[in-house]
Amino acid sequence: MHYRNTRPSGTPLRLLMWVGAVLLAVFTSFCIVAGVRGKLSYQFTAYVVTPLLAALMAAVAGALAYAHQTNRRLLALAEKLRLVAAGDYSARVESSSMDGLAAISSAFNYMVESLDCAREELIEKANTDAVTNLANHGSFQERLAAEFGRAVRYGSRLSLMMIHIDHFKLFNDINGHPVGDSALRDIAEVISHQIREVDFAARYGGEEFAVVLPETGLVQAVILAERIRKAV
């Protein structure tokens, strides 16, 4: 599906302008001709024709101004829709007035906020391991590549810790997979409590975990690994 960026032609607005101008010209011409021929008295012209002519001019001017404002707001809404279709979920429309377009603008903003929340939840689920609630293997690969590139670029230290649970298959066979999943969650919680906020823990697969340790040398990584082993 492709979005075609088309702008309204403005035909309804131009049509309204021409109709108003024609009506105004016809009414003015009638008043002038009738006045010249003496068919309209001075009092009738002063107290009836002139106010009606002024009211008609004001109505036409007001209608044109409202049509122009409505057209401008519709163009702004179309532009925001194009941004959302392109993936920009920060797009919002002003809805300060109390007319029908304001209700449409509020509905649009609510729709975009709902889409943004749903997208964030979907991304989080796609990057999270369902059993341990740690990052999954794909998210780990992305983070490791990013941290490795940063370490190479700035010449900083970087350590990678791999954690393997001994005899986990036997534990699963004896106690069952639900108990095994519970054990994985417990170990994941221990790892999360032992690492820093800048560290990145993930379930690598099966009974293996991985921890990316930015700005960490070998000695500090070994100390952390031993602390996690004892906590488990």
Side-chain angles (χ1 to χ4, degrees):
M1 181 182 296
H2 298 283
Y3 175 84
R4 187 173 60 182
N5 186 13
T6 58
R7 298 177 64 87
S9 62
T11 300
L13 179 60
R14 287 199 295 269
L15 180 61
L16 180 61
M17 293 175 63
W18 279 108
V19 170
V22 169
L23 290 176
L24 184 59
V26 170
F27 187 74
T28 304
S29 300
F30 168 77
C31 293
I32 293 174
V33 172
V36 170
R37 293 182 176 181
K39 293 184 178 181
L40 295 178
S41 65
Y42 173 78
Q43 291 80 5
F44 185 78
T45 302
Y47 296 106
V48 177
V49 175
T50 301
L52 286 177
L53 182 60
L56 179 60
M57 293 177 64
V60 171
L64 291 177
Y66 180 77
H68 176 72
Q69 182 185 21
T70 301
N71 188 60
R72 180 177 58 82
R73 293 169 64 188
L74 287 173
L75 287 175
L77 179 60
E79 176 64 18
K80 298 299 183 180
L81 285 169
R82 185 190 67 79
L83 292 176
V84 173
D88 182 6
Y89 293 92
S90 64
R92 296 293 185 274
V93 179
E94 294 184 6
S95 57
S96 57
S97 60
M98 300 297 293
D99 56 5
L101 279 178
I104 295 176
S105 299
S106 298
F108 170 83
N109 292 337
Y110 179 76
M111 177 196 70
V112 175
E113 290 174 2
S114 300
L115 287 174
D116 193 25
C117 291
R119 183 180 66 93
E120 293 293 336
E121 291 179 1
L122 184 61
I123 292 175
E124 184 177 357
K125 288 182 179 180
N127 293 329
T128 303
D129 177 65
V131 176
T132 63
N133 287 326
L134 294 179
N136 58 20
H137 185 87
S139 181
F140 159 74
Q141 294 290 351
E142 293 180 1
R143 182 63 174 268
L144 178 62
E147 294 294 346
F148 184 79
R150 184 170 18 242
V152 171
R153 186 163 56 252
Y154 296 107
S156 57
R157 297 177 299 175
L158 175 67
S159 295
L160 173 62
M161 181 189 305
M162 300 297 298
I163 301 172
H164 177 82
I165 305 175
D166 293 336
H167 312 299
F168 185 73
K169 184 178 183 306
L170 179 61
F171 180 87
N172 256 349
D173 293 340
I174 296 175
N175 299 282
H177 287 282
V179 178
D181 290 345
S182 178
L184 289 174
R185 283 190 291 269
D186 291 341
I187 294 174
E189 185 175 357
V190 169
I191 295 173
S192 298
H193 286 166
Q194 294 295 328
I195 63 177
R196 306 166 300 177
E197 290 186 3
V198 297
D199 300 332
F200 185 82
R203 184 183 181 189
Y204 190 78
E207 67 273 24
E208 294 180 330
F209 297 87
V211 183
V212 181
L213 304 168
E215 298 291 343
T216 303
L218 178 60
V219 175
Q220 292 85 358
V222 170
I223 293 174
L224 175 61
E226 182 62 18
R227 191 165 67 240
I228 292 175
R229 188 189 69 81
K230 289 181 178 179
V232 170

